[in-house]
């Protein structure tokens, strides 16, 4: 294979080698979160199984036990919700990572096919100019060298090719676009939008604690707390 073709392919393959570790790390964390979710589910079952098991205790003891049970349940449910958010974030990041490599490959393949056809075009140009004197021969040679230089500098870090979007894919956020990159869910259970892109809401990392979108924040400021679903 021509070295001018082989070098760009080698660069892309080296870049592709970085994909597997990225996905492996994300999937490993998802597996850890899945195991924790099963453990939390078992905890919920054990706590719920204690309901009604203290018939002989005083009303105060029953009330205290009920409050403690409720506190434990809410803590576990909050942890499970955070784990679900993190899993969705990891899944979305993995999808976007693979999608970026696919776009890079499409872009590179297009340039690669152009590169394959370039030598044939140059050959035809040289044959056509062979009987036109030294000046035309020199010009054809310079054109071939220029094409070779352009091929040599081929890189795969070019802008991504726009890919068609499935019209049936759901949209989110203020921008009404499909899911991509990192996303965050509004903690208002009745939020009409629910999911938002980090870049659209000015986030660079997942905030701690509860997070509300601007619409729900406005409701809170007006004294209307986000209500739980019926």
């Amino acid at each position: 294979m021509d070295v001018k073709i082989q070098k760009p392919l080698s660069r892309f393959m080296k870049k592709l080698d970085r994909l597997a570790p990225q996905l492996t790390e994300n999937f490993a964390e998802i597996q850890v979160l899945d195991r924790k979710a099963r453990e939390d589910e078992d905890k919920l079952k054990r706590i719920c199984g204690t309901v009604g098991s203290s018939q002989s205790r005083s009303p105060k003891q029953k009330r205290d036990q009920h409050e403690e049970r409720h506190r434990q349940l809410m803590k576990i449910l909050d942890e499970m919700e955070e784990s679900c958010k993190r899993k969705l974030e990891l899944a979305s990041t993995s999808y976007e990572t693979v999608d970026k490599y696919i776009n890079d490959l499409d872009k590179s393949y297009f340039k690669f096919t152009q590169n394959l056809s370039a030598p044939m075009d140059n050959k035809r140009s040289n044959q056509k100019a062979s009987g036109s004197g030294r000046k035309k021969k020199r010009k054809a040679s310079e054109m071939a060298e220029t094409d070779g230089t352009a091929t040599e500098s081929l890189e795969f870090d070019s802008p991504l090719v726009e890919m068609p979007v499935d019209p049936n894919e759901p949209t989110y956020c203020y921008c009404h676009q499909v899911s991509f990159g990192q996303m965050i869910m509004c903690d208002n259970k009745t939020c009409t939008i629910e999911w938002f892109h980090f870049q659209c809401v000015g986030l660079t990392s997942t905030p701690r604690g509860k997070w509300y979108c601007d619409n729900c924040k406005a409701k809170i400021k007006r004294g209307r707390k986000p209500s739980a679903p019926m």
Side-chain angles (χ1 to χ4, degrees), residues 174 186 188-194 196 212-228:
Y174 298 124
C186 179
N188 178 11
K189 304 300 182 182
T190 58
C191 180
T192 56
I193 301 178
E194 192 175 7
F196 301 83
Y212 296 99
C213 67
D214 290 341
N215 295 345
C216 295
K217 284 180 182 177
K219 292 180 181 179
I220 295 174
K221 288 182 179 180
R222 291 196 299 267
R224 295 166 53 192
K225 292 185 177 180
S227 56

Side-chain angles (χ1 to χ4, degrees), residues 118-154:
M120 295 300 297
D121 294 338
N122 291 337
K123 185 176 180 180
R124 294 192 191 98
S125 298
N126 291 337
Q127 289 175 347
K128 187 175 181 180
S130 60
S132 302
R134 292 182 179 180
K135 185 175 181 180
K136 290 187 177 181
K137 285 183 178 180
R138 188 182 304 113
K139 185 176 181 180
S141 176
E142 290 172 355
M143 289 175 62
E145 290 176 1
T146 302
D147 289 342
T149 303
T151 303
E152 178 68 20
S153 62
L154 175 63

Side-chain angles (χ1 to χ4, degrees), residues 9-208:
L9 287 178
S10 298
R11 285 195 293 269
F12 181 79
M13 293 306 296
K14 288 180 180 179
K15 181 186 292 186
L16 192 61
D17 288 339
R18 298 196 294 269
L19 176 61
Q22 294 175 17
L23 295 180
T24 300
E25 183 178 352
N26 289 349
F27 294 157
E29 186 174 350
I30 289 176
Q31 288 180 333
V32 171
L33 293 171
D34 282 338
R35 287 195 295 269
K36 186 178 185 304
R38 289 192 291 270
E39 293 172 359
D40 289 339
E41 185 178 357
D42 291 338
K43 291 179 183 178
L44 289 175
K45 290 179 180 179
R46 286 196 297 269
I47 294 173
C48 292
T50 63
V51 176
S53 61
S54 56
Q55 299 295 334
S56 61
R57 296 191 177 185
S58 66
K60 183 179 183 306
Q61 289 177 323
K62 289 181 180 180
R63 184 173 62 254
D64 292 343
Q65 187 182 48
H66 174 75
E67 291 176 354
E68 175 62 20
R69 187 186 298 117
H70 181 267
R71 186 191 65 78
Q72 292 176 355
L73 288 173
M74 293 306 299
K75 180 181 178 181
I76 294 173
L77 290 173
D78 286 342
E79 291 176 353
M80 293 180 73
E81 183 179 8
E82 291 301 319
S83 295
C84 288
K85 288 181 180 180
R86 179 57 180 164
K87 285 198 293 184
L88 286 172
E89 180 183 327
L90 289 167
S92 178
T93 301
S94 299
Y95 174 87
E96 292 302 322
T97 300
V98 173
D99 190 56
K100 180 182 183 302
Y101 276 87
I102 291 174
N103 278 284
D104 279 346
L105 181 59
D106 287 340
K107 186 74 173 180
S108 302
Y109 176 76
F110 175 74
K111 289 190 175 183
F112 178 68
T113 54
Q114 283 187 323
N115 184 51
L116 287 178
S117 62
M120 295 300 297
D121 294 338
N122 291 337
K123 185 176 180 180
R124 294 192 191 98
S125 298
N126 291 337
Q127 289 175 347
K128 187 175 181 180
S130 60
S132 302
R134 292 182 179 180
K135 185 175 181 180
K136 290 187 177 181
K137 285 183 178 180
R138 188 182 304 113
K139 185 176 181 180
S141 176
E142 290 172 355
M143 289 175 62
E145 290 176 1
T146 302
D147 289 342
T149 303
T151 303
E152 178 68 20
S153 62
L154 175 63
E155 293 290 343
F156 295 140
D157 294 326
S158 53
L160 301 181
V161 178
E162 290 293 333
M163 300 296 287
V165 176
D166 184 353
N168 297 319
E169 189 170 355
T171 58
Y172 307 92
C173 194
Y174 298 124
C175 63
H176 301 292
Q177 298 296 320
V178 298
S179 171
F180 64 85
Q182 288 184 292
M183 300 187 69
I184 187 169
M185 184 178 70
C186 179
D187 281 301
N188 178 11
K189 304 300 182 182
T190 58
C191 180
T192 56
I193 301 178
E194 192 175 7
W195 285 96
F196 301 83
H197 304 107
F198 268 35
Q199 63 191 49
C200 293
V201 293
L203 291 176
T204 56
S205 60
T206 303
R208 289 188 174 184

